[in-house]
Short mmCIF file of all heavy atoms in Angstrom, two decimals:
data_model
loop_
_atom_site.label_atom_id
_atom_site.label_comp_id
_atom_site.label_asym_id
_atom_site.label_seq_id
_atom_site.Cartn_x
_atom_site.Cartn_y
_atom_site.Cartn_z
N VAL A 44 105.99 124.77 35.75
CA VAL A 44 106.98 125.12 34.72
C VAL A 44 107.76 123.88 34.29
O VAL A 44 107.93 123.61 33.10
CB VAL A 44 107.94 126.22 35.24
CG1 VAL A 44 109.11 126.40 34.29
CG2 VAL A 44 107.19 127.54 35.43
N THR A 45 108.22 123.11 35.27
CA THR A 45 109.01 121.92 34.98
C THR A 45 108.18 120.89 34.21
O THR A 45 108.67 120.29 33.24
CB THR A 45 109.55 121.30 36.28
OG1 THR A 45 110.31 122.30 36.96
CG2 THR A 45 110.43 120.10 36.00
N GLU A 46 106.94 120.68 34.61
CA GLU A 46 106.07 119.74 33.90
C GLU A 46 105.92 120.12 32.44
O GLU A 46 106.02 119.28 31.54
CB GLU A 46 104.70 119.71 34.58
CG GLU A 46 104.71 119.12 35.96
CD GLU A 46 103.56 119.57 36.83
OE1 GLU A 46 102.68 120.34 36.38
OE2 GLU A 46 103.53 119.16 38.00
N GLY A 47 105.72 121.41 32.18
CA GLY A 47 105.57 121.88 30.81
C GLY A 47 106.84 121.70 30.00
O GLY A 47 106.79 121.28 28.83
N LEU A 48 107.98 121.99 30.59
CA LEU A 48 109.26 121.84 29.89
C LEU A 48 109.53 120.39 29.54
O LEU A 48 109.98 120.08 28.43
CB LEU A 48 110.40 122.40 30.75
CG LEU A 48 110.43 123.91 30.93
CD1 LEU A 48 111.46 124.29 31.99
CD2 LEU A 48 110.73 124.59 29.61
N VAL A 49 109.26 119.50 30.47
CA VAL A 49 109.50 118.07 30.24
C VAL A 49 108.58 117.56 29.13
O VAL A 49 109.00 116.82 28.23
CB VAL A 49 109.33 117.27 31.55
CG1 VAL A 49 109.35 115.78 31.30
CG2 VAL A 49 110.42 117.66 32.55
N GLU A 50 107.34 117.99 29.15
CA GLU A 50 106.38 117.57 28.13
C GLU A 50 106.78 118.10 26.75
O GLU A 50 106.77 117.38 25.75
CB GLU A 50 104.97 118.02 28.49
CG GLU A 50 103.90 117.40 27.62
CD GLU A 50 102.52 117.63 28.20
OE1 GLU A 50 102.28 118.73 28.76
OE2 GLU A 50 101.69 116.73 28.07
N ARG A 51 107.18 119.37 26.70
CA ARG A 51 107.60 119.95 25.42
C ARG A 51 108.88 119.30 24.89
O ARG A 51 109.12 119.30 23.69
CB ARG A 51 107.79 121.46 25.56
CG ARG A 51 106.46 122.19 25.56
CD ARG A 51 106.60 123.68 25.39
NE ARG A 51 107.32 124.34 26.46
CZ ARG A 51 106.80 124.72 27.62
NH1 ARG A 51 105.53 124.49 27.87
NH2 ARG A 51 107.53 125.33 28.52
N ALA A 52 109.67 118.73 25.78
CA ALA A 52 110.90 118.03 25.36
C ALA A 52 110.58 116.65 24.79
O ALA A 52 111.47 115.98 24.30
CB ALA A 52 111.86 117.90 26.54
N GLY A 53 109.31 116.23 24.86
CA GLY A 53 108.92 114.99 24.23
C GLY A 53 108.60 113.83 25.15
O GLY A 53 108.27 112.74 24.69
N ALA A 54 108.70 114.03 26.44
CA ALA A 54 108.39 112.96 27.39
C ALA A 54 106.88 112.82 27.58
O ALA A 54 106.13 113.78 27.38
CB ALA A 54 109.03 113.23 28.75
N THR A 55 106.45 111.64 27.96
CA THR A 55 105.07 111.42 28.37
C THR A 55 105.01 111.82 29.83
O THR A 55 105.78 111.32 30.65
CB THR A 55 104.68 109.94 28.21
OG1 THR A 55 104.82 109.59 26.83
CG2 THR A 55 103.25 109.70 28.66
N VAL A 56 104.12 112.72 30.16
CA VAL A 56 104.07 113.29 31.51
C VAL A 56 102.75 112.94 32.18
O VAL A 56 101.68 113.03 31.58
CB VAL A 56 104.23 114.83 31.46
CG1 VAL A 56 104.04 115.45 32.83
CG2 VAL A 56 105.60 115.19 30.89
N ARG A 57 102.85 112.53 33.44
CA ARG A 57 101.67 112.27 34.26
C ARG A 57 101.73 113.26 35.42
O ARG A 57 102.73 113.32 36.14
CB ARG A 57 101.71 110.84 34.80
CG ARG A 57 100.59 110.53 35.77
CD ARG A 57 100.80 109.13 36.34
NE ARG A 57 99.81 108.82 37.32
CZ ARG A 57 99.11 107.70 37.33
NH1 ARG A 57 99.31 106.78 36.42
NH2 ARG A 57 98.21 107.48 38.25
N VAL A 58 100.68 114.04 35.60
CA VAL A 58 100.62 115.04 36.65
C VAL A 58 99.51 114.67 37.62
O VAL A 58 98.38 114.42 37.20
CB VAL A 58 100.36 116.44 36.06
CG1 VAL A 58 100.19 117.47 37.17
CG2 VAL A 58 101.50 116.85 35.13
N SER A 59 99.83 114.64 38.89
CA SER A 59 98.84 114.37 39.93
C SER A 59 98.94 115.45 41.00
O SER A 59 100.03 115.87 41.36
CB SER A 59 99.10 113.01 40.59
OG SER A 59 99.03 111.98 39.65
N ARG A 60 97.81 115.88 41.47
CA ARG A 60 97.75 116.83 42.57
C ARG A 60 96.97 116.17 43.70
O ARG A 60 95.81 115.81 43.52
CB ARG A 60 97.05 118.12 42.14
CG ARG A 60 97.73 118.87 41.03
CD ARG A 60 99.01 119.51 41.50
NE ARG A 60 99.57 120.37 40.48
CZ ARG A 60 100.62 120.03 39.74
NH1 ARG A 60 101.17 118.84 39.87
NH2 ARG A 60 101.11 120.87 38.86
N SER A 61 97.60 116.01 44.83
CA SER A 61 96.91 115.42 45.97
C SER A 61 96.44 116.52 46.90
O SER A 61 97.01 117.60 46.96
CB SER A 61 97.84 114.45 46.72
OG SER A 61 99.03 115.10 47.09
N ALA A 62 95.38 116.23 47.63
CA ALA A 62 94.80 117.21 48.56
C ALA A 62 95.59 117.22 49.85
O ALA A 62 95.10 116.82 50.91
CB ALA A 62 93.34 116.88 48.81
N SER A 63 96.84 117.66 49.76
CA SER A 63 97.71 117.66 50.95
C SER A 63 98.76 118.74 50.79
O SER A 63 98.83 119.45 49.80
CB SER A 63 98.38 116.29 51.11
OG SER A 63 99.28 116.07 50.03
N GLY A 64 99.62 118.81 51.80
CA GLY A 64 100.79 119.65 51.74
C GLY A 64 101.98 118.77 51.47
O GLY A 64 101.87 117.71 50.87
N HIS A 65 103.15 119.22 51.96
CA HIS A 65 104.37 118.44 51.75
C HIS A 65 104.54 117.49 52.94
O HIS A 65 105.28 117.76 53.88
CB HIS A 65 105.57 119.37 51.63
CG HIS A 65 106.81 118.66 51.19
ND1 HIS A 65 107.00 118.29 49.88
CD2 HIS A 65 107.91 118.28 51.86
CE1 HIS A 65 108.17 117.69 49.78
NE2 HIS A 65 108.73 117.67 50.96
N ASP A 66 103.80 116.39 52.91
CA ASP A 66 103.85 115.46 54.02
C ASP A 66 103.75 114.02 53.52
O ASP A 66 103.27 113.76 52.41
CB ASP A 66 102.75 115.75 55.03
CG ASP A 66 101.38 115.73 54.42
OD1 ASP A 66 100.89 114.66 54.04
OD2 ASP A 66 100.79 116.82 54.30
N ARG A 67 104.19 113.11 54.32
CA ARG A 67 104.24 111.69 53.94
C ARG A 67 102.87 111.14 53.59
O ARG A 67 102.71 110.37 52.65
CB ARG A 67 104.85 110.90 55.09
CG ARG A 67 104.98 109.46 54.78
CD ARG A 67 105.64 108.75 55.92
NE ARG A 67 105.64 107.33 55.64
CZ ARG A 67 105.71 106.40 56.54
NH1 ARG A 67 105.80 106.72 57.81
NH2 ARG A 67 105.69 105.14 56.21
N ALA A 68 101.87 111.54 54.33
CA ALA A 68 100.52 111.02 54.07
C ALA A 68 100.05 111.38 52.67
O ALA A 68 99.30 110.63 52.06
CB ALA A 68 99.54 111.57 55.11
N GLY A 69 100.51 112.50 52.14
CA GLY A 69 100.08 112.93 50.83
C GLY A 69 100.73 112.20 49.69
O GLY A 69 100.16 112.08 48.62
N TRP A 70 101.95 111.68 49.88
CA TRP A 70 102.65 111.07 48.74
C TRP A 70 102.99 109.60 48.87
O TRP A 70 103.49 109.00 47.94
CB TRP A 70 103.90 111.86 48.39
CG TRP A 70 104.90 112.05 49.49
CD1 TRP A 70 105.06 113.17 50.24
CD2 TRP A 70 105.87 111.12 49.97
NE1 TRP A 70 106.06 113.00 51.15
CE2 TRP A 70 106.59 111.73 51.01
CE3 TRP A 70 106.21 109.81 49.62
CZ2 TRP A 70 107.60 111.11 51.70
CZ3 TRP A 70 107.24 109.18 50.33
CH2 TRP A 70 107.91 109.84 51.34
N ARG A 71 102.75 108.99 50.01
CA ARG A 71 103.21 107.61 50.19
C ARG A 71 102.61 106.63 49.18
O ARG A 71 103.30 105.77 48.67
CB ARG A 71 102.96 107.14 51.62
CG ARG A 71 101.50 107.06 51.97
CD ARG A 71 101.32 106.59 53.40
NE ARG A 71 99.90 106.68 53.72
CZ ARG A 71 99.45 106.90 54.92
NH1 ARG A 71 100.28 107.04 55.91
NH2 ARG A 71 98.17 106.97 55.13
N HIS A 72 101.33 106.77 48.85
CA HIS A 72 100.73 105.87 47.87
C HIS A 72 101.05 106.32 46.44
O HIS A 72 101.18 105.50 45.55
CB HIS A 72 99.21 105.80 48.07
CG HIS A 72 98.84 105.24 49.40
ND1 HIS A 72 99.12 103.95 49.77
CD2 HIS A 72 98.23 105.82 50.47
CE1 HIS A 72 98.69 103.75 51.02
NE2 HIS A 72 98.15 104.87 51.45
N ALA A 73 101.17 107.61 46.26
CA ALA A 73 101.49 108.14 44.93
C ALA A 73 102.86 107.67 44.47
O ALA A 73 103.07 107.44 43.28
CB ALA A 73 101.44 109.67 44.95
N LEU A 74 103.80 107.51 45.37
CA LEU A 74 105.15 107.09 45.00
C LEU A 74 105.11 105.73 44.32
O LEU A 74 105.67 105.56 43.24
CB LEU A 74 106.05 107.06 46.23
CG LEU A 74 107.50 106.65 45.98
CD1 LEU A 74 108.18 107.63 45.03
CD2 LEU A 74 108.25 106.57 47.29
N LEU A 75 104.44 104.77 44.92
CA LEU A 75 104.35 103.44 44.32
C LEU A 75 103.57 103.47 43.01
O LEU A 75 103.97 102.85 42.02
CB LEU A 75 103.70 102.46 45.29
CG LEU A 75 104.52 102.10 46.52
CD1 LEU A 75 103.70 101.23 47.47
CD2 LEU A 75 105.80 101.40 46.12
N ARG A 76 102.48 104.20 42.99
CA ARG A 76 101.66 104.30 41.78
C ARG A 76 102.47 104.91 40.64
O ARG A 76 102.48 104.41 39.52
CB ARG A 76 100.44 105.17 42.07
CG ARG A 76 99.53 105.36 40.86
CD ARG A 76 98.60 106.54 41.02
NE ARG A 76 99.37 107.78 41.10
CZ ARG A 76 99.04 108.81 41.88
NH1 ARG A 76 97.99 108.76 42.65
NH2 ARG A 76 99.78 109.90 41.89
N ASP A 77 103.18 106.00 40.92
CA ASP A 77 103.91 106.70 39.88
C ASP A 77 105.14 105.93 39.40
O ASP A 77 105.45 105.96 38.21
CB ASP A 77 104.29 108.09 40.35
CG ASP A 77 103.08 109.00 40.50
OD1 ASP A 77 102.00 108.68 39.95
OD2 ASP A 77 103.19 110.03 41.19
N VAL A 78 105.83 105.27 40.29
CA VAL A 78 106.99 104.45 39.87
C VAL A 78 106.50 103.30 38.97
O VAL A 78 107.09 103.04 37.92
CB VAL A 78 107.78 103.91 41.07
CG1 VAL A 78 108.78 102.85 40.65
CG2 VAL A 78 108.50 105.05 41.77
N GLY A 79 105.40 102.67 39.34
CA GLY A 79 104.83 101.61 38.50
C GLY A 79 104.45 102.12 37.14
O GLY A 79 104.72 101.50 36.12
#
Side-chain angles (χ1 to χ4, degrees):
V44 169
T45 303
E46 293 156 2
L48 290 170
V49 171
E50 191 168 37
R51 283 193 297 277
T55 300
V56 174
R57 175 185 177 131
V58 175
S59 300
R60 298 289 187 256
S61 55
S63 67
H65 190 76
D66 56 71
R67 182 177 175 204
W70 56 259
R71 65 180 174 210
H72 298 295
L74 181 62
L75 291 175
R76 179 198 65 217
D77 291 342
V78 168

